Amino acid sequence: MERSRMNRASSSRLSELPQRVESNRMSMVYATPQSKQSFGKLNIPKPQSVTSERRTSFFGSRTSGAGMARNSAFGAFGGAEKMKDPRPLHDKAYVQQCIRQLCEFLSEKGFPGSMTVKSLQSPSTKEFLKIFEFIYCLLDPTFQMPTSKVEEEVPRILKDLGYPFVLSKSSMYSVGAPHTWPQVLGAVVWLIDTVKIFCCMSDQDLLFADFSDGSTEIEDGVAFNKLFLDYTAETYNKFMQGADSFDEEDADYLAKLKRLYNVDEGLLASMEEKYRMLSDEVERLEKESQTDRLMVKRTEKVKLQTDLQKLQSYRSNLESFKANLENKASGLAEELEASGLQVETLKQEESRLQHILSTQKFTPADIERINWEKRELQQTINSLSKSLEQAEQHMWNEEIALAKAKETAEVKLAEYHKLARKLKLIPVSAENACGHDFEIRTSTEYGPSTMVQCRTQIQQLLRKLITDVDEECSRLTDMKLSLEESIEQVNSNISDKANDLKQLREQIRRLDEQLEQDMQDIAHEEQKWSAEMESVETHRKLLEKKVTLGYDESVEQLKAAQQQYHLVLQETNEERRTVVNNLASVLTTAANHLSIVEKFLEDQHKRVDRVYTEAFREDEVDIQKMKDIMESFITKVNSM
């Protein structure tokens, strides 16, 4: 901070000539009121001007105008009228060139899939959506392709990005068709060019970008420029006349600035008083909160050592600058000495020619020739004088441009260091530095090649850091995919077990049907035996009717019939008992098997539920970690 303040003080003079009187006054050139000033300085809102610039986001409002020199990189290209695409999209050679360009871009950016020129001749809608999502994620890493109404989402995204031509919704239904693929391919190639421009601008802004939050405005309005030029011209005239102090001009310039920006003196004084009171309160609280004076002294010692190093480096820069000035002075002295010798030689030649002129007589032709040579020499002197004036003016302009360039470089370097400290890249022991030195040290001996080398080195380190973060994201994505595969495997196991359960239920149904059929057969046999018993009873009655005809014979026949009946009845009871016992054993076995199967399925279902619950919880924890990592990464990217 001390060195930058001294650099600004030393660079306020546009010329390298020494001051006549040493002054500690800051030039009023840098007293321009900014929107971010500390209390005690002018804090005046800048009026809107047609030439003022405001930083805009890449995805901000797309306004157009000649005065906005840094519009959004994806601004609108016109009004609501439709524009005709001038590209030869129906030319087969041009389409093949665009396909090769798309294939090279996908392979260069690491597209997760195999894409060849042949497959891009007529891609499917699914492949096109994967390609579009991959390319758009290079602009917005948080983008996810929606699952519904894709035919409306893709044209809307292209329109929001500022694609100047209309892409119909119907073309999204048949992307690979010969009549729709050239228009879709043209939109994809335009999106690729947009991504390249975005990456190029991001790389350029990494080293010397304006990292303000968008609230600072560059004050180059017409009124301010007029005041500044009038003040500069007036003070410069006074300086050329020999004046070294410009107190009256400074006061007049400050008063005009206050009138231009409507400064409220009372409000400014109240804000200064409030700032003084708050500063006193902060100092009092800091003194009250100080418990370790040794640590404070150590901190002050480190700060003083840092200031000492900065002063030493500034002193070395001044010595090198002094040496350069001495070298320039010695060169000018040598040139002056050579010019003096040349003047002496010209004087001697003049005296010789004057002596010859006084001693000899000239003819009218000689006098005319001498006059002609005199005019030629006078024209030569005039042209050399003009060349000398132009050279001095060019040297003066170069000195002014050099001073402005030095000041701009110092401001950008300070902003770069501020952002690097905010991102924890400075010093070397910072959290995100990884042992690399991201600090850029100023020196007047640095040339364009040295600055380019330093910029390339830091850009390589930053790209390496971004690559590490991308690799970590890829690793987490692979972990997520593996977890999803395990969940799918568990789901497939559950479906297999459900199919087994269905098969067992089908077997039980078949056994029930077989049991019902057996019961029907038993009932049919019982009906058969009942019919036989009825026939036997009828036969018995007939025998009773014939008792009178032959009692003895009938009694014998009756006994034989009764014995036969008892035998048949016993056999029937035995067969019935055997069938009932067999059916009971079959039913008992089936019921036991069914209960065992149900218990086994319940155990399997509980185990699968437990495994699924544990896997789901672990997946939720991993997904939450990934979300936290992605949010922190997005926060860092947004802060960049």
Side-chain angles (χ1 to χ4, degrees):
M1 182 63 70
E2 293 290 330
R3 189 174 66 183
S4 63
R5 188 181 297 114
M6 287 186 287
N7 287 336
R8 287 197 298 271
S10 62
S11 63
S12 62
R13 291 175 59 87
L14 301 179
S15 175
E16 294 182 353
L17 297 176
Q19 289 185 348
R20 296 186 183 90
V21 178
E22 185 176 357
S23 175
N24 295 324
R25 177 185 58 83
M26 291 295 291
S27 176
M28 287 302 294
V29 174
Y30 301 101
T32 304
Q34 301 286 343
S35 61
K36 283 189 174 181
Q37 292 280 351
S38 61
F39 292 101
K41 296 183 180 180
L42 288 175
N43 190 5
I44 308 165
K46 175 74 171 63
Q48 294 295 330
S49 174
V50 293
T51 58
S52 63
E53 294 182 357
R54 183 182 296 273
R55 289 183 61 84
T56 58
S57 172
F58 283 106
F59 302 97
S61 58
R62 290 175 294 280
T63 57
S64 62
M68 301 296 290
R70 294 187 67 178
N71 282 331
S72 172
F74 308 108
F77 288 85
E81 66 275 3
K82 294 183 180 180
M83 295 179 61
K84 185 178 180 182
D85 197 341
R87 297 173 295 181
L89 295 177
H90 296 287
D91 187 3
K92 293 183 179 180
Y94 181 76
V95 171
Q96 294 299 323
Q97 180 182 356
C98 293
I99 291 175
R100 287 193 297 269
Q101 182 180 356
L102 175 59
C103 187
E104 292 175 359
F105 179 81
L106 293 177
S107 60
E108 179 183 354
K109 296 298 181 179
F111 179 72
S114 60
M115 282 293 169
T116 61
V117 177
K118 184 176 180 181
S119 63
L120 290 175
Q121 297 294 331
S122 179
S124 61
T125 304
K126 186 177 180 180
E127 293 176 348
F128 167 72
L129 293 177
K130 288 183 179 179
I131 294 172
F132 183 82
E133 183 178 6
F134 174 76
I135 297 174
Y136 190 74
C137 284
L138 298 176
L139 297 175
D140 185 8
T142 61
F143 172 74
Q144 291 183 354
M145 182 64 69
T147 58
S148 63
K149 295 184 178 180
V150 180
E151 65 278 359
E152 297 180 0
E153 189 68 18
V154 173
R156 185 191 62 80
I157 292 174
L158 291 173
K159 184 178 179 182
D160 291 342
L161 289 178
Y163 186 59
F165 311 113
V166 178
L167 190 65
S168 62
K169 299 179 182 178
S170 60
S171 61
M172 294 292 103
Y173 294 103
S174 57
V175 174
H179 63 282
T180 58
W181 174 235
Q183 282 76 17
V184 177
L185 180 62
V188 174
V189 171
W190 180 87
L191 185 60
I192 290 174
D193 295 337
T194 303
V195 171
K196 290 180 180 179
I197 294 172
F198 174 71
C199 294
C200 180
M201 293 179 66
S202 299
D203 293 339
Q204 291 177 358
D205 291 343
L206 279 176
L207 189 58
F208 296 109
D210 186 8
F211 293 102
S212 61
D213 56 356
S215 60
T216 305
E217 296 179 356
I218 300 176
E219 301 189 35
D220 55 355
V222 177
F224 172 78
N225 287 338
K226 185 176 183 302
L227 287 177
F228 175 74
L229 291 176
D230 293 339
Y231 167 79
T232 305
E234 185 177 1
T235 53
Y236 183 74
N237 290 331
K238 293 290 185 66
F239 175 80
M240 296 303 293
Q241 291 175 5
D244 288 323
S245 61
F246 312 98
D247 296 333
E248 295 180 359
E249 288 77 9
D250 292 345
D252 188 16
Y253 178 66
L254 185 60
K256 290 179 179 179
L257 283 177
K258 289 180 179 179
R259 287 195 301 271
L260 177 63
Y261 295 104
N262 299 322
V263 176
D264 190 356
E265 295 289 342
L267 178 61
L268 188 61
S270 64
M271 295 299 287
E272 288 178 353
E273 182 66 18
K274 185 177 180 181
Y275 172 75
R276 185 184 61 78
M277 293 173 63
L278 291 174
S279 300
D280 296 338
E281 183 69 15
V282 169
E283 290 177 358
R284 184 181 63 80
L285 293 174
E286 288 178 352
K287 290 179 181 179
E288 290 178 357
S289 62
Q290 285 179 355
T291 56
D292 191 358
R293 298 183 62 186
L294 180 60
M295 185 60 67
V296 174
K297 295 299 181 182
R298 288 177 179 175
T299 306
E300 292 179 356
K301 180 181 178 182
V302 172
K303 291 181 180 179
L304 291 175
Q305 289 177 353
T306 305
D307 293 339
L308 180 61
Q309 291 177 0
K310 291 181 179 179
L311 288 174
Q312 289 177 355
S313 62
Y314 180 67
R315 179 182 177 185
S316 63
N317 293 334
L318 288 179
E319 289 178 354
S320 62
F321 183 69
K322 180 180 178 182
N324 292 331
L325 290 179
E326 288 177 354
N327 293 330
K328 291 181 180 179
S330 62
L332 292 174
E334 291 176 357
E335 292 179 359
L336 182 62
E337 185 177 357
S339 299
L341 294 175
Q342 187 177 2
V343 169
E344 291 294 333
T345 304
L346 291 175
K347 286 182 179 180
Q348 291 176 4
E349 182 69 18
E350 183 183 4
S351 62
R352 185 180 64 81
L353 293 174
Q354 187 69 30
H355 178 71
I356 291 173
L357 179 63
S358 60
T359 56
Q360 73 178 4
K361 295 180 180 179
F362 295 98
T363 62
D366 294 334
I367 293 173
E368 184 177 359
R369 180 177 55 81
I370 290 171
N371 291 330
W372 180 79
E373 291 179 355
K374 181 179 180 181
R375 287 193 298 271
E376 289 290 332
L377 291 173
Q378 187 64 35
Q379 291 178 359
T380 305
I381 291 171
N382 293 332
S383 63
L384 291 175
S385 299
K386 290 181 180 179
S387 300
L388 180 60
E389 291 178 357
Q390 292 177 357
E392 290 178 351
Q393 184 66 28
H394 180 68
M395 183 182 68
W396 178 257
N397 294 331
E398 290 295 329
E399 289 178 356
I400 293 174
L402 179 61
K404 291 182 178 179
K406 286 182 179 179
E407 182 183 359
T408 305
E410 290 174 358
V411 172
K412 290 185 176 180
L413 187 59
E415 292 173 351
Y416 165 74
H417 286 165
K418 181 179 178 182
L419 180 65
R421 291 187 181 92
K422 187 183 295 183
L423 295 176
K424 298 181 180 179
L425 296 176
I426 295 176
V428 181
S429 60
E431 180 180 354
N432 297 328
C434 299
H436 300 293
D437 188 8
F438 289 92
E439 186 175 2
I440 300 177
R441 297 172 178 83
T442 59
S443 176
T444 56
E445 296 179 357
Y446 282 1
S449 61
T450 308
M451 292 302 296
V452 170
Q453 182 178 2
C454 182
R455 177 177 180 175
T456 305
Q457 181 180 0
I458 293 178
Q459 284 182 347
Q460 290 176 354
L461 295 175
L462 291 174
R463 290 193 183 100
K464 182 179 179 183
L465 183 61
I466 294 173
T467 305
D468 295 338
V469 175
D470 292 338
E471 290 177 355
E472 184 68 18
C473 291
S474 301
R475 185 180 66 80
L476 293 175
T477 304
D478 296 336
M479 186 183 298
K480 179 183 177 182
L481 293 175
S482 63
L483 290 174
E484 290 178 352
E485 290 176 357
S486 62
I487 291 172
E488 290 179 357
Q489 185 176 2
V490 171
N491 291 330
S492 64
N493 293 331
I494 292 172
S495 62
D496 293 339
K497 296 299 180 182
N499 293 329
D500 294 338
L501 182 60
K502 290 180 180 179
Q503 293 177 0
L504 292 174
R505 288 178 178 174
E506 183 66 23
Q507 292 178 2
I508 293 170
R509 187 184 61 79
R510 291 175 182 175
L511 290 174
D512 291 336
E513 292 179 354
Q514 185 178 359
L515 179 60
E516 186 178 358
Q517 184 65 31
D518 292 339
M519 293 296 291
Q520 291 178 0
D521 293 340
I522 292 171
H524 183 68
E525 289 180 357
E526 287 179 353
Q527 292 177 0
K528 181 179 179 182
W529 288 111
S530 298
E532 289 181 356
M533 288 177 68
E534 290 178 356
S535 64
V536 169
E537 185 68 25
T538 305
H539 184 65
R540 185 179 65 81
K541 290 179 179 180
L542 292 173
L543 289 175
E544 288 179 353
K545 290 179 181 179
K546 295 179 180 179
V547 170
T548 57
L549 297 177
Y551 178 74
D552 295 335
E553 186 178 359
S554 297
V555 170
E556 292 296 332
Q557 289 179 358
L558 177 61
K559 289 180 179 180
Q562 287 178 353
Q563 289 178 359
Q564 187 178 1
Y565 170 74
H566 286 300
L567 290 174
V568 172
L569 183 61
Q570 187 177 359
E571 290 176 0
T572 303
N573 291 331
E574 289 294 330
E575 289 179 359
R576 183 184 296 174
R577 192 181 300 110
T578 302
V579 172
V580 170
N581 291 332
N582 291 335
L583 289 175
S585 62
V586 169
L587 291 174
T588 304
T589 304
N592 293 331
H593 180 69
L594 181 60
S595 63
I596 291 170
V597 170
E598 287 179 351
K599 185 177 180 181
F600 175 76
L601 291 176
E602 288 177 358
D603 295 335
Q604 289 295 325
H605 185 66
K606 290 180 180 179
R607 187 172 66 82
V608 169
D609 287 340
R610 185 172 63 255
V611 172
Y612 178 76
T613 304
E614 292 177 356
F616 186 74
R617 289 177 180 174
E618 292 176 356
D619 190 26
E620 283 183 347
V621 173
D622 294 337
I623 290 173
Q624 186 62 34
K625 290 181 180 178
M626 290 178 64
K627 286 182 178 179
D628 296 336
I629 293 172
M630 290 300 295
E631 288 177 358
S632 62
F633 180 72
I634 291 170
T635 305
K636 290 182 180 179
V637 171
N638 291 331
S639 63
M640 291 172 64

